[in-house]
Amino acid sequence: QVQLVESGGGLVQAGGSLRLSCAASRITWSNYNAGWLRQAPGKEREFVGAISWSGDSTYYADSVKGRVTISRDDAKNMVYLQMNSLKPEDTAVYYCVAEYRTYDVRRFPDKTQYGYWGQGTQVTVSS
């Protein structure tokens, strides 16, 4: 079965950086759009960013634009979320999601259901 496994979360001070990783099994990222979502306690899940199946397009939420970068390593079949200048409001569980290439990745921000989800990784930013 398909599995997405996130890693790289942890506790970091405000202004610090983290790189989250998403390893996929039984799917190849070059055939799937990848996205990152997050959910803070008591808040709705929100879109963070996405990368197209072709790897040549990325999209980010306004709240993180300029501070995060999504990238992909096809040789390792990994997707990454590099987060810099972290703020306490970035504290959340971060989820990796995948949707087959036929879906328009530009619609990710409005999407609530995805083909595959990871279990999430906790990111805590202290002030």
Side-chain angles (χ1 to χ4, degrees):
Q1 70 193 52
V2 173
Q3 280 192 316
L4 304 181
V5 180
E6 303 96 334
S7 60
L11 174 63
V12 63
Q13 287 189 330
S17 298
L18 279 175
R19 188 179 78 158
L20 306 184
S21 301
C22 180
S25 60
R26 296 189 179 274
I27 65 169
T28 303
W29 283 121
S30 57
N31 283 324
Y32 281 78
N33 298 307
W36 288 92
L37 312 177
R38 67 184 182 185
Q39 187 165 22
K43 295 187 177 181
E44 293 188 354
R45 188 174 294 129
E46 66 171 338
F47 169 80
V48 176
I51 184 167
S52 63
W53 63 269
S54 60
D56 59 3
S57 298
T58 53
Y59 306 90
Y60 301 102
D62 288 341
S63 58
V64 300
K65 198 172 293 182
R67 299 189 296 119
V68 307
T69 303
I70 294 177
S71 61
R72 205 174 75 191
D73 185 333
D74 288 347
K76 297 181 179 179
N77 204 32
M78 298 281 285
V79 170
Y80 303 101
L81 178 68
Q82 176 67 45
M83 303 188 292
N84 302 321
S85 303
L86 283 163
K87 306 175 182 180
E89 50 264 43
D90 293 319
T91 295
V93 177
Y94 284 70
Y95 298 91
C96 174
V97 296
E99 189 66 48
Y100 193 61
R101 59 191 281 175
T102 51
Y103 187 84
D104 187 347
V105 68
R106 292 172 296 181
R107 297 171 58 191
F108 262 44
D110 299 322
K111 192 169 173 59
T112 57
Q113 299 295 326
Y114 296 84
Y116 302 104
W117 292 78
Q119 82 290 349
T121 186
Q122 176 71 47
V123 171
T124 303
V125 184
S126 63
S127 57

